[in-house]
Amino acid sequence: MNHQNHVAPRTASIFRPPAPVVSPDTLPSSSPAFGTPVHSVKPRTIAVPPVKPSILPILLPPPTLRPLAFRTFTKKHNLTLTSSALQTLATFIGKHCGSAWREEGLAEKVLEEVAKWWKKGGGGVIVEGDGDDLRGILRNLEGFMSGGRITQARTLSRQESSSFGEAAEEDTNYASMEGRTGNLGKDDSQTSLCISGLEIEDDREDYQVKDPRRWLKIVGAFEQPRLEYNVGKKHFEKWVASIEHLPLQSNTKPSFLPPPSHKTDLFRQRYNLIHQRLLRNESFQTPSFAPSRTTRERSSTTLSTTQQQVYKLTPIANLLGRSGSNHLILGLLTIAPTGTLAISDLTGSIALDVQHAKPVPEDGAWFAPGMIVLVDGIYEEDYNAAGRGLGGGGGIGGTIGGKFIGYSVGGPPCERREVTLGIIGANGDGNISAGGGFGWVDFLGVGSELALGSRMRKMERHVLGQLHPNEISNGRGRMVILGEVNLDSPQTLQALKKVFGIYAMEAAEDTPMTVVLMGNFVQHAVMAGGGSGGSIEYKEYFDSLASTLSDFPSLLQAATFVFVPGDNDPWASAFSAGAAATLPRKPVPELFTSRIKRAFNTANTEADRSNGKKTDGEAIWTSNPARLCLFGPTQEVIFFRDDVSGRLRRNGIRFRPSEDEDVVGHDEPALSITTTAAAEGGSEEIEHMEVDSTVQAAESHVPTSKSGDSADDTLSKDLLTSRKLVKTILDQGYLSPFPLTTRPILWDFATALQLYPLPTALVLVDTEAPPFTVTYEGCHVMNPGKLVAQGRTGVARWVEYDAKLRKGSLREAHF
């Protein structure tokens, strides 16, 4: 049987039936004879992106949006909208919210979010629409809006609220408010005025760490952000050097040799800070429902403010043509070219007659040239001597003819830290409000109070524990502060061994977290050929200190040692020869500190080798003054070494004793602004304080007890003298309120000397003042004095500050 080959008939391609279309979703057929599967397969469901609800844009007139914008920005957030900003917001809301902007409340939510981002980004009080800041916020907000609503406001507000424009697109985590302190960089911390690189994650790792040194940061004077107060915007801004006087406009950074215009800016900033602080005081605020005519009671010179009394400052230039009238002026005490006392403000200067003036409070504060004071008196114009000689009138901007006869001279009242930062609640632990303060400003580069304060206070209570009444200072949150550590004295090393031995015997969990050693580290100017030798001897002194520290490895492993220099330390003493050097002072050069750093490295290595546990004890060499930040913006401690009291006694104005002031009648004007101070014994009126004797004008005079005085009288005099010093410094809001000829200052770094806002604590090492611990307006001021007590053999004295109690105490030990 022949098998025939069957050949498929050939057909033209155009007549061939089309090939069956196989869906890519179908499975292979189980039967090769058919092109369909045994069981039908459901088609795959393809996710279709949701369709965004469409918004019909409208043209929203700015006047229609103005009431809502005023209620949100001005009433709620204390911001002021310009016309250009209102136009920009109206255009944005009309485009993205449409006709439902009012009925569904879409516009209010958008305005609320924009206001929050503006404040978190460090924007000023005035919201301007011409710049890129507001446009950057709206551009970022546009990507998170759907149907006129903000869909991811929480995520965006944490990641991009502090960055504007292109900077926000490049790094959305630039100013995150949540993270750890260890990730903080110096450059990142100064990029925003309100939120730094501090990060506080809400995880369990942070709450497991009980060491407060994790949240400790030392800020040197040359590392501190330089901010200036903008009078027009009533807000702090980053300091920018004026470039109109710089060659080729090539350098806008702070300089040690700035142009002469920066000297004027130094005093202008001091005046603007005190002036705005004064206008926020209740005594200078006109009541909303005040009577048409206010009465001022001036029956006495004591400080007592009545409900009907409101003060008004008069610029010096406005005294022209108002001879014989009473005025209250705020100005800087200066010495005129004629050698007489004068007072100056931003409008001019005038000769000041204090022959019949009384200090307010009486014998409670020092008044010296270089201070900004309030003077209440009468202007007396001299028509004959105007324009003659050095004391002639120069009109506005110069010297005003005549003189101002003062009857009361007082310092500007101090402002509490809680008021400055806008914190409400007992001791700053209650709710936080942004109204009326600078809570969004990051003064030290560690985060603002309103951004991180509440979170960090919670962390502080977790680490240091809850505060109990009548609690004794003890535990890890202590700071040991040693003043005037003269290493060229053998007694100093013996005193250091005694003090270190006391704390080395304590348990590891109770070891103080910080030990602060403050200069002068030698008794004489070391680089000026004094009795303390030269640079070689100076290094040998620190080598001896390193040998002493090596005997206490447990203390080196668990504590942070901070070294603050004095005027006798290098390199400033090379040209000052022991006189007042420029402020702020740079740290001790690393040339002399190598042996001490080696001692810390050896102690940490031994702990890792013996116990298998790494320690992070360290030595920090910082500037004078320096600031210690604990738990971000929650606590701020300033360390400053200077003999301020002696300089005040030498330069202070001498007033006539009160018993000889019969020429002033009861009907004369008297300054009366209420200021209270809380001392160790409790709150009391400063005006009731009486100190030892009248301030001497030309010589340094330390009050001494008479032969018949008891120990209690001497103690009382020392306490009153310390209160007098504390009130003078804190009221001025400046660490060195003296002329530049008396205490030179680096003009571009003068912001490091400001005490605004008031710190939590101030360590003022003044060897010419008695040791003390005094609290004034919520600021705890301490002076440990010399480590080796004067007049007593073998006694070491220091201050122990408890960060939990926010209070220090004087301690003594015999060696």
Side-chain angles (χ1 to χ4, degrees), residues 656-712:
R656 180 176 297 182
S658 57
E659 55 269 16
D660 296 338
E661 292 285 344
D662 298 334
V663 294
V664 181
H666 292 287
D667 56 345
E668 297 294 343
L671 181 65
S672 55
I673 303 173
T674 302
T675 307
T676 59
E680 290 179 329
S683 300
E684 62 181 44
E685 296 290 334
I686 283 294
E687 58 270 19
H688 297 306
M689 295 193 312
E690 297 180 1
V691 295
D692 44 287
S693 61
T694 308
V695 178
Q696 299 298 327
E699 61 182 4
S700 178
H701 172 69
V702 179
T704 58
S705 60
K706 299 181 181 179
S707 58
D709 291 344
S710 62
D712 295 337

Side-chain angles (χ1 to χ4, degrees), residues 549 556 559 561 596-605 617-619:
L549 292 174
L556 301 185
F561 281 69
I596 293 182
K597 293 181 179 179
R598 189 184 309 169
F600 278 86
N601 294 334
T602 303
N604 294 330
T605 304
E618 60 178 342

Side-chain angles (χ1 to χ4, degrees), residues 280 415-422 436-439 443 756-758:
R280 286 150 54 94
E415 186 178 79
R416 299 180 67 91
R417 180 181 179 87
E418 293 81 6
V419 177
T420 304
L421 299 179
F438 301 102
F443 290 95
Y756 192 80
L758 278 184

Side-chain angles (χ1 to χ4, degrees), residues 550-565:
S550 300
D551 297 337
F552 308 95
S554 60
L555 194 60
L556 301 185
Q557 297 166 5
T560 298
F561 281 69
V562 181
F563 296 84
V564 180

